[in-house]
């Protein structure tokens, strides 16, 4: 007799994609005790307490894995992470871009995270200060698992977190200071302790554009950008020896450290270092650059015998800005000077100064400076403004009407309206053909959603749904760029396998992290943005996605946590669904009482 009959949950008649890249097959899925117990064409035993989902005509697949989030503070005060879960994400990775909450003090953590990730500093500080009871990685994991977690959590330890913890934030962000021998040893020990606890690896950042918040060391770059090659090599050696991962963003000014990272990933005469690097994109600022990502990855992973992956956001990279509060202005000196000033009156005095404006115009018009933003105000449409006459126009049109330089028009609007001036531009992935090619390149994986960060600037919580929308829409093409089964693999199994985490598959014996997708709901609504208040951060209005017709249900550890636009009443509030996923370890579902 089967001890699991009747099943806790049964999904009937759906096309099952198992996350391996194999063809979808119509099957029934039976789940008990949070584990997939049957995938079969046979009818499954249903009892009075069995939850039944009729998935006829729909796709049943592993929950999506989001490997690039900045939920590190939000998870402490909103552990359901509902904006991701409602879009089929069942596993999220914390600790990206050199930032984690593992070791540093709450004040240092707030200064590290807030400006670079466009998070309200006071709320980051409040969240971490109220919840940080841990002093080591094992205590950190225990603290997370005492929360009513929504999705499963995996994590990296941040290099900037390590440096600030060991050297102090002041010395860690001072070019004249080098770690002492004892500090080198302490960083190595802290990294090793994190890996022993089950963290997947380390994240770092060498791009100097990303700055500290707060009043103490405001506008200094993140600590990891001050590290020298000796420090990188020592930490990489530990990761390489343990078979763990490095996630990084290269220096976008000099770019030569990209060669260092590519070389570090090779396996010629040694164990390769797993590296995930940002970001493969078809950037408007560099319309040729999309050609290089595939060949570089093939060179490292082929002749170089490496383990290298690019992260790619599989949708158009749209961003919004309230006034001048957008990270792209960190790219050049005059922009950084404006963002250095938090108080609006002082900032307006600066923006009104003619000498400053000449500086801004010179920076803006430099032809050969490093950039992510293409700096074209004709491609900056005003979406909200107290002056209704400019809404719907781009900033270049406003400049033409006023008979002034486009930079002056922009700065005038910011001085006049501050953060009430809201505008939109597209940074990258604006050409469908190039975007379709990028996602199919070997060595290019899905990532860079930045979920939980840039709350007023962008929303890619539904990155998986957006990729499936494109794939579904292309099925009628003579040569569709990708099959559904391969898209599912890229959103689940491929990421889980590379990162070494127990997720991303739908097989008998697996933990039942599942999403049910209705292809009829993959319409243009998936591309739309809305705003919702965020009680966890003082009622802040943030950009979100709402395409509830696409996701029929999300299951985490076998429990239906989201179904037809509604969350279970206990989800993220009183009961835990997800677990902390340790590197290379199979994780059983969190036990719950059977009714």
């Amino acid at each position: 007799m089967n001890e699991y009959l009747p099943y806790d949950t049964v999904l009937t008649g759906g096309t099952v994609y198992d996350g391996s890249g194999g063809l979808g097959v119509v099957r029934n899925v039976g789940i008990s005790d949070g584990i997939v117990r049957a995938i079969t064409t046979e009818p499954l035993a249903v009892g009075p307490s069995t939850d039944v989902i009729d998935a006829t005509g729909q796709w049943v697949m592993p929950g999506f894995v989001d490997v690039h989030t900045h939920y590190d503070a939000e998870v402490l005060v909103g552990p359901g992470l509902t904006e991701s879960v409602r879009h089929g994400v069942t596993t999220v990775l914390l600790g990206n871009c050199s930032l984690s909450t593992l070791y540093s003090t709450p004040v240092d953590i707030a200064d590290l995270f807030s400006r670079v990730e466009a998070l309200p500093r006071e709320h980051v500080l409040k969240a971490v200060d109220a919840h940080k009871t841990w002093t080591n990685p094992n205590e950190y994991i225990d603290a997370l698992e005492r929360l009513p977690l929504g999705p499963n959590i995996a994590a990296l330890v941040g290099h900037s977190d390590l440096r600030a913890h060991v050297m102090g934030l002041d010395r860690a962000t001072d070019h004249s200071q080098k770690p002492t021998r004892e500090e080198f040893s302490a960083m190595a020990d802290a990294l090793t302790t994190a890996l022993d606890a089950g963290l997947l690896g380390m994240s770092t950042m060498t791009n100097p554009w990303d700055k500290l918040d707060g009043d103490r060391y405001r506008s200094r770059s993140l600590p990891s950008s001050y590290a020298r090659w000796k420090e990188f090599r020592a930490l990489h050696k530990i990761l390489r020896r343990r078979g763990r991962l490095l996630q990084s963003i290269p220096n976008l000014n000099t770019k030569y450290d990209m060669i260092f990272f590519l070389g570090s990933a090779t396996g010629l005469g040694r164990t390769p270092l797993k590296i995930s690097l940002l970001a493969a994109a078809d950037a408007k600022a560099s319309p040729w650059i999309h050609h290089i990502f595939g060949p570089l990855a093939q060179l490292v992973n082929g002749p170089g015998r490496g383990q290298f992956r690019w992260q790619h956001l599989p949708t158009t990279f749209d961003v919004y800005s309230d006034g001048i509060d957008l990270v792209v202005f960190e790219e050049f000196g005059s922009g950084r000077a404006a963002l250095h000033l938090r108080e609006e009156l002082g900032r307006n005095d600066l923006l009104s100064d003619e000498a400053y404006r000449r500086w801004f115009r010179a920076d803006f018009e430099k032809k050969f400076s490093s950039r992510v933003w293409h700096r074209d105000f004709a491609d900056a449409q005003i979406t909200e403004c107290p002056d209704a006459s400019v809404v719907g126009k781009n900033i270049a049109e406003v400049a033409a009407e006023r008979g002034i330089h486009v930079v002056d028009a922009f700065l005038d609007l910011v001085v006049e309206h501050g953060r009430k001036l809201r505008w939109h531009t597209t940074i990258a992935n604006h050409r469908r053909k190039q975007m379709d090619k990028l996602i199919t390149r070997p060595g290019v994986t899905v990532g860079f959603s930045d979920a939980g960060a840039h709350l007023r600037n962008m929303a890619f919580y539904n990155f998986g749904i957006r990729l499936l929308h494109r794939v579904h829409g292309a099925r009628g093409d003579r040569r569709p760029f990708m099959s559904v089964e391969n898209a599912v693999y890229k959103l689940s199994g491929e990421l889980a396998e590379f990162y070494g985490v127990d997720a991303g598959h739908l097989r008998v014996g697996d933990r039942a992290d599942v999403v049910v997708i209705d292809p009829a709901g993959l319409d243009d609504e998936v591309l739309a943005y809305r705003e919702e208040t965020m009680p966890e951060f003082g009622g802040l209005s943030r950009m979100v996605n709402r395409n509830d017709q696409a996701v029929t249900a999300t299951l985490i550890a076998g429990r239906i946590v989201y179904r037809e636009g509604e969350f279970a009443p206990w989800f993220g509030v009183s009961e835990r669904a997800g677990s902390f996923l340790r590197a290379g370890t199979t994780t059983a579902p969190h036990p719950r009482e059977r009714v």
Side-chain angles (χ1 to χ4, degrees):
M1 179 178 292
N2 190 330
E3 61 180 305
Y4 302 111
L5 299 181
Y7 295 100
D8 297 334
T9 305
V10 169
L11 297 87
T12 63
T15 300
V16 175
Y17 297 93
D18 66 4
S20 71
L23 290 170
V25 290
V26 177
R27 294 289 187 270
N28 302 313
V29 179
I31 299 168
S32 288
D33 294 333
I35 300 293
V36 178
R37 304 294 181 181
I39 301 176
T40 179
T41 57
E42 300 300 318
L44 296 175
V46 172
S49 63
T50 302
D51 287 315
V52 178
I53 297 176
D54 181 2
T56 303
Q58 301 183 57
W59 302 337
V60 180
M61 61 188 69
F64 306 143
V65 179
D66 190 345
V67 299
H68 195 113
T69 81
H70 292 286
Y71 277 134
D72 305 70
E74 184 177 336
V75 72
L76 303 176
V77 290
L81 301 180
T82 55
E83 293 305 331
S84 288
V85 172
R86 72 185 303 131
H87 299 296
V89 174
T90 57
T91 298
V92 302
L93 181 58
L94 309 181
N96 284 279
C97 300
S98 87
L99 306 172
S100 62
T101 60
L102 205 60
Y103 286 115
S104 297
T105 66
V107 172
D108 284 356
I109 289 169
D111 287 353
L112 288 167
F113 270 89
S114 301
R115 180 166 165 182
V116 60
E117 301 305 340
L119 296 168
R121 183 182 181 277
E122 66 274 20
H123 295 299
V124 173
L125 178 58
K126 182 179 179 180
V128 179
D129 194 40
H131 290 83
K132 193 175 188 300
T133 58
W134 57 88
T135 59
N136 61 60
N138 282 309
E139 290 178 356
Y140 171 70
I141 294 170
D142 290 342
L144 288 180
E145 290 203 315
R146 286 195 297 270
L147 299 171
L149 286 180
N152 302 300
I153 303 293
L156 303 167
V157 58
H159 189 180
S160 288
D161 185 15
L162 287 178
R163 275 195 132 235
H165 167 67
V166 170
M167 299 177 66
L169 191 55
D170 186 11
R171 290 187 60 243
T173 55
D174 185 339
H175 276 299
S176 69
Q177 299 295 311
K178 298 179 182 179
T180 65
R181 180 177 299 179
E182 292 75 17
E183 288 169 338
F184 264 123
S185 179
M187 274 191 273
D189 288 347
L191 174 58
T192 299
T193 301
L195 301 182
D196 287 344
L199 272 71
L200 304 187
M202 185 183 82
S203 67
T204 191
M205 162 87 73
T206 59
N207 185 32
W209 297 349
D210 298 308
K211 306 297 184 182
L212 295 181
D213 207 342
D215 296 320
R216 299 172 302 161
Y217 315 114
R218 185 171 180 81
S219 297
R220 295 187 189 181
S221 297
L222 292 180
S224 63
S225 67
Y226 294 84
R228 293 166 171 84
W229 300 124
K230 178 181 178 181
E231 183 176 328
F232 284 116
R233 284 193 294 268
L235 298 175
H236 290 183
K237 184 177 180 179
I238 296 170
L239 296 171
R240 182 179 283 110
R241 185 171 64 243
R242 300 290 295 272
R244 301 296 177 83
L245 177 122
L246 176 73
Q247 181 265 323
S248 186
I249 301 176
N251 186 322
L252 297 175
N253 285 336
T254 62
K255 298 184 176 64
Y256 63 79
D257 64 333
M258 191 178 299
I259 299 172
F260 174 74
F261 288 119
L262 292 169
S264 297
T266 59
L268 297 174
R270 62 179 180 179
T271 302
L273 173 61
K274 281 187 180 182
I275 293 184
S276 174
L277 199 66
L278 272 66
D282 175 27
K284 281 188 174 180
S286 304
W288 53 270
I289 201 168
H290 65 93
H291 292 292
I292 73 169
F293 298 110
L296 283 176
Q298 286 178 295
L299 179 66
V300 174
N301 296 327
R305 301 178 184 177
Q307 294 197 62
F308 177 83
R309 302 291 187 272
W310 295 104
Q311 288 188 28
H312 167 71
L313 180 69
T315 188
T316 302
F317 199 93
D318 291 312
V319 297
Y320 288 75
S321 179
D322 296 326
I324 201 170
D325 287 342
L326 186 63
V327 70
V328 297
F329 289 102
E330 304 276 18
E331 294 180 352
F332 50 94
S334 56
R336 290 191 291 272
L339 294 179
H340 176 76
L341 300 173
R342 288 181 296 180
E343 193 270 320
E344 192 164 304
L345 288 177
R347 183 183 285 184
N348 285 347
D349 287 343
L350 177 69
L351 301 186
S352 300
D353 181 75
E354 181 54 36
Y356 172 81
R357 291 189 171 210
R358 287 195 298 271
W359 180 22
F360 196 106
R361 285 193 294 267
D363 280 343
F364 193 80
E365 293 173 349
K366 285 179 182 176
K367 297 298 183 183
F368 302 107
S369 60
S370 295
R371 62 182 67 190
V372 170
W373 178 34
H374 48 291
R375 302 181 196 171
D376 180 4
F377 277 134
D379 187 32
Q381 184 183 40
I382 299 168
T383 60
E384 298 175 32
C385 186
D387 180 358
S389 69
V390 301
V391 174
K393 297 175 182 177
N394 66 56
I395 292 167
E397 290 173 332
V398 175
E401 290 175 358
R402 296 183 178 184
I404 57 178
H405 193 281
V406 67
V407 164
D408 290 313
F410 172 68
L411 296 178
D412 283 348
L413 288 167
V414 174
V415 170
E416 290 167 23
H417 306 294
R419 294 178 177 90
K420 293 181 181 179
L421 169 72
R422 189 160 173 80
W423 53 279
H424 158 265
T425 191
T426 300
I427 299 291
N429 298 342
H430 52 296
R431 298 181 292 186
R432 174 182 167 180
K433 182 178 178 181
Q434 282 72 19
M435 186 164 52
D436 289 349
K437 284 183 178 179
L438 264 177
I439 192 61
T440 61
R441 297 295 190 201
V444 174
T445 55
V446 173
F448 199 36
S449 82
D450 256 358
H454 304 285
L455 303 178
R456 294 286 303 154
N457 303 132
M458 59 195 193
F460 303 118
Y461 300 100
N462 68 344
F463 66 95
I465 300 303
R466 290 190 181 208
L467 177 59
L468 292 174
H469 168 251
R470 284 170 51 211
V471 168
H472 183 57
R475 293 178 90 182
D477 295 349
R478 292 199 317 174
R479 292 187 177 181
F481 73 97
M482 180 178 287
S483 64
V484 175
E485 57 268 22
N486 197 30
V488 173
Y489 173 63
K490 295 198 78 67
L491 294 168
S492 55
E494 181 179 48
L495 295 167
E497 292 160 10
F498 185 73
Y499 283 75
V501 66
D502 178 29
H505 294 94
L506 178 52
R507 305 165 298 202
V508 173
D510 285 335
R511 189 183 59 253
D513 301 328
V514 184
V515 59
V516 182
I517 302 294
D518 185 351
L522 295 173
D523 54 28
D524 287 346
E525 183 66 21
V526 309
L527 305 176
Y529 296 100
R530 283 178 50 182
E531 292 195 13
E532 294 287 338
T533 57
M534 190 179 180
E536 303 89 345
F537 282 175
L540 174 73
S541 181
R542 70 165 160 186
M543 293 177 63
V544 298
N545 311 111
R546 287 292 183 271
N547 41 263
D548 295 341
Q549 300 305 308
V551 178
T552 299
T554 304
L555 290 75
I556 297 174
R559 307 183 72 179
I560 302 174
V561 301
Y562 175 79
R563 188 173 187 177
E564 296 178 350
E566 299 291 336
F567 284 96
W570 52 266
F571 181 75
V573 178
S574 58
E575 299 179 39
R576 173 158 71 91
S579 299
F580 190 90
L581 305 184
R582 292 167 173 82
T585 301
T586 300
T587 304
H590 178 61
R592 62 183 171 119
E593 293 183 8
R594 297 180 65 86
V595 179

